[in-house]
Amino acid sequence: MASQLYADSKAPVSLLSAKVHFEKLTEKEKLYAHYFSKAAHYGTRIVLRQVSPASEQVFDLILSFYRDVTASSPGTAIASILTAAPYSLSEEDSTYLLEYFAQFLSNLGNYKSFGDVKFIPRIPSSTFAAAVAATGKESLQSLFAKVEAAIYDTEPGASVLLGYPENGHVTGYYPVESSGEVMTKSEIEAIHDAVGGVYLPENTRVVKESADRFLLLVASGVERPDVIDGEQKEFAVPGISESATITIKFGDHGREMGLIAESLAKSGELSANGTQKAMVDAYVQSFQQGSMQAHKASQRQWVKDVGPTVETNLGFIETYRDPAGIRGEWEGLVAMVNKERTKTFGALVNSAKEYIGLLPWGKEFEKDVFTPPDFTSLEVMTFAGSGIPAGINIPNYDDIRQTIGFKNVSLGNVLSAKSSNEKVPFVKESELALYEKLRGPAFEVQVGIHELLGHGSGKLLSETGPGEFNFERSAPPVSPVDGKPVTTYYKLGQTWGSVFGSISGSYEECRAECVAMYLATEKSLLEIFGHTETSTEAGVADDVVYIAYLLMARAGLVALEYWDPESKKWGQPHMQARFSIFKQFLEYGDRSFVKLRYTDTATFDDLEIELDRSKIVSHGRKAVEEYLMKLHVYKSSGDVEKGRQLYLETTAVPPELAKFRDVVLRKKMARRQFVQGNTFVHEDGEIEYREYDESAEGMIKSFVERDV
């Protein structure tokens, strides 16, 4: 198992450059962005604690090791220092050590942010220990001794995956204290039932002190908040036992939350308008006091802050990595608007209502009024978190999305990042040139539709007040799936996440991906992105559609990397979603749309995807349409029984596909790592934007100088 978990070697490293756009800002805007960036990065240690128990100590080890090694030879590359006395590492071992450091920092933990699987250094622990000993620092050697097992252990096998602790998996959301008590899935669900109506779970962790005593840790800068979401500090948890209780304890991540609030308060003084100031004030209250209601207030203002020059968003946002799917990982975005690309997305926004009307369900399953969102192309200056997406659709609060709206952002300098021209596995040699040319444009179309028309579409049939509904209760909508009136809906207080639970994140990503595939064949939509029948530089429309479908098919195949054959567990929500779409391509109709070709029946090393481009509309789009209709109606009507059954069936890996997992692992491409810049305010008032080399050392140095 250890060899399968080795850290990536020769991973592509890209500078997430935004210096040109930052330097176009006014001095006030630069300072606003600077303090927001500081606030975002202050959450780094929060993410580390959320990933695994040892991640924060490993982080300290890496940064301290770099400082100690380079202190005596400033300006000399660390790789050169490590191959000389007293370290005397081979060039290969030096490279492997730095690659592990870079991958750890890129993921903010020793588990992959995209896959939730542990990775370990390619050098033996004895070599790592000798390098640490060569620094002569006893404190560093002591720290390595504490984390050595956490870095290298791969047994028991379940511990190499993030997930529920009762299954032997690892998580930082339910920390095991000195009592050694381990949380169970049923206990987590019972606690949510008991407390969730008062304290929203996104900024919390839970500790099991004993069989019937639990602590709900709330992230806040103070331990005794003046303004809290609920006065009750202790709750009975009858779902566990008659005597079980959970006590609310504020001050989790107290140092970091205080620094975040302090830095944001400085940003608030530089706000561009009253809406922005109200947003920042709500952020400060949320992070200082631990109030998720205040965070919701910040998001209401954020949605209303249309077209800012500096776009930002902070908080406990995505819930993918909590095994229960309800607690959020810290995330912070600071970016500048790319006005030229934003014009394209503006045209898509203006046509959004028209394209949503083409989706395979009636208006009863769609929002009563579609409020056009702000859709912006951004150049990312800061993305603090365990991974950087290509696009975002937030906020995730359903009530805000339904009543006020949401924003879509496309992260331009993430989308445009390039790798060296290496052969892409499973794509035919004859198609590689077209694939390489159009993978970026096709992905941009996919992301744009996914975020705006995918996540932006749909209505949740709900009880909005006692006896009040947002649909005609006496004559409910007729399901296009079976032609019968729906019988389920979201009861008062229920949300999409609370009803669909752990599958909700991946299920929704799948629905949005299906919307992207379904609408990508619309020629007028492609024209918005510059793809017509005659365009050359941007890409001929039919070719872009073909590559978009090929991208999805290939993503579904390589998704097998993120499926564990022993536990049958998926480690990455987006890849689980793409696999299920890939299965629809393979299984639709006469099974002639997508086929897997190979002659090597022993290793499948010549495995290739064959996609019949003449059947994209007749088979590919039709397969997506039927699947999407079910996904959407079950979500809209809150039919968790049918929705869960559908999704578990479509994401189950049959033996005829599971056999390809080994070749997928052998040929997997290392995931891109992004080096981010830092900003500094000097004594003379000058604001510096500092960038770093596209290398492992550049990655490490950027974190050392970030000082979080």
Side-chain angles (χ1 to χ4, degrees), residues 2 98 123 195 256 320 374 383 451 594:
L98 296 179
I123 59 172
V195 183
E256 290 74 27
Y320 301 129
D374 186 20
F383 200 99
E451 300 296 348
V594 171

Side-chain angles (χ1 to χ4, degrees), residues 25 29-40 263-264 267-268 270-272 275-281 283 287 295 298-299 301-315 317 330-337 374 376 378-384 392 394-395 407-409 411:
L25 301 177
E29 290 167 342
K30 287 178 181 178
L31 278 174
Y32 178 80
H34 166 76
Y35 287 120
F36 248 102
S37 178
K38 293 286 286 184
S263 192
L264 287 175
S267 281
L270 302 158
S271 299
T275 301
Q276 214 170 70
K277 180 66 164 64
M279 173 191 76
V280 177
D281 288 347
Y283 272 139
F287 301 141
H295 191 263
S298 77
Q299 298 305 279
Q301 298 299 326
W302 179 74
V303 171
K304 296 174 184 177
D305 186 27
V306 177
T309 303
V310 179
E311 185 61 282
T312 60
N313 199 271
L314 300 176
I317 308 297
W330 174 263
E331 186 176 287
L333 165 72
V334 183
M336 282 71 69
V337 174
D374 186 20
T376 311
L378 302 177
E379 303 298 320
V380 179
M381 168 183 158
T382 297
F383 200 99
I392 310 172
I394 42 180
K407 284 186 185 181
N408 294 273
V409 296
L411 307 183

Side-chain angles (χ1 to χ4, degrees), residues 9-83:
S9 186
K10 299 179 182 177
V13 181
S14 296
L15 174 66
L16 198 63
S17 180
K19 188 172 186 178
V20 171
H21 297 274
F22 181 81
E23 291 182 344
K24 290 179 181 178
L25 301 177
T26 65
E27 293 302 298
K28 180 181 176 182
E29 290 167 342
K30 287 178 181 178
L31 278 174
Y32 178 80
H34 166 76
Y35 287 120
F36 248 102
S37 178
K38 293 286 286 184
H41 283 305
Y42 280 137
T44 295
R45 291 182 179 275
I46 297 174
V47 179
L48 291 161
R49 292 171 200 141
Q50 291 175 318
V51 172
S52 71
S55 283
E56 188 175 12
Q57 289 183 308
V58 179
F59 178 80
D60 288 332
L61 172 69
I62 291 170
L63 268 56
S64 297
F65 181 80
Y66 180 86
R67 290 190 186 101
D68 289 338
V69 169
T70 58
S72 59
S73 303
T76 304
I78 188 172
S80 299
I81 301 173
L82 290 175
T83 54

Side-chain angles (χ1 to χ4, degrees), residues 129-143:
V132 170
T135 65
K137 302 282 185 172
E138 290 186 9
S139 59
L140 205 58
Q141 294 177 64
S142 175
L143 184 55

Side-chain angles (χ1 to χ4, degrees), residues 145-333:
K146 290 179 182 177
V147 298
E148 182 178 6
I151 291 174
Y152 280 97
D153 281 357
T154 60
E155 295 294 340
S159 68
V160 304
L161 299 173
L162 296 182
Y164 285 109
E166 67 177 314
N167 297 331
H169 301 315
V170 171
T171 180
Y173 290 97
Y174 308 98
V176 177
E177 300 293 311
S178 56
S179 67
E181 295 280 355
V182 175
M183 290 283 294
T184 67
K185 180 181 178 182
S186 61
E187 288 169 342
I188 293 167
E189 291 172 347
I191 287 168
H192 184 58
D193 290 342
V195 183
V198 180
Y199 293 94
L200 295 178
E202 284 87 348
N203 67 339
T204 67
R205 298 190 293 170
V206 184
V207 172
K208 183 177 182 179
E209 293 188 301
S210 66
D212 59 1
R213 289 197 59 79
F214 300 83
L215 281 179
L216 185 75
L217 307 178
V218 182
S220 65
V222 295
E223 293 184 11
R224 293 180 175 81
D226 300 319
V227 181
I228 59 177
D229 295 339
E231 294 297 330
Q232 191 173 347
K233 295 294 183 66
E234 187 171 281
F235 293 78
V237 192
I240 296 176
S241 71
E242 291 183 5
S243 59
T245 60
I246 183 162
T247 303
I248 314 302
K249 183 178 180 181
F250 288 85
D252 198 23
H253 314 300
R255 171 186 172 273
E256 290 74 27
M257 298 305 289
L259 289 170
I260 290 165
E262 181 183 327
S263 192
L264 287 175
K266 294 177 182 177
S267 281
E269 299 170 4
L270 302 158
S271 299
N273 53 57
T275 301
Q276 214 170 70
K277 180 66 164 64
M279 173 191 76
V280 177
D281 288 347
Y283 272 139
V284 172
Q285 180 180 333
S286 173
F287 301 141
Q288 189 71 7
Q289 304 288 326
S291 168
M292 286 304 296
Q293 294 300 334
H295 191 263
K296 290 184 73 171
S298 77
Q299 298 305 279
R300 292 187 187 98
Q301 298 299 326
W302 179 74
V303 171
K304 296 174 184 177
D305 186 27
V306 177
T309 303
V310 179
E311 185 61 282
T312 60
N313 199 271
L314 300 176
F316 296 87
I317 308 297
E318 303 295 352
T319 60
Y320 301 129
R321 306 189 84 186
D322 169 22
I326 57 175
R327 293 181 164 78
E329 186 173 76
W330 174 263
E331 186 176 287
L333 165 72

Side-chain angles (χ1 to χ4, degrees), residues 446-493:
Q446 180 187 334
V447 169
I449 303 173
H450 173 115
E451 300 296 348
L452 173 63
L453 308 175
H455 292 312
S457 62
K459 175 181 182 177
L460 302 183
L461 304 177
S462 307
E463 183 180 8
T464 56
E468 298 177 358
F469 302 86
N470 64 356
F471 65 100
E472 187 57 56
R473 181 75 180 93
S474 60
V478 174
S479 166
V481 177
D482 59 12
K484 299 177 182 179
V486 299
T487 58
T488 54
Y489 58 90
Y490 292 86
K491 295 179 174 60
L492 194 62

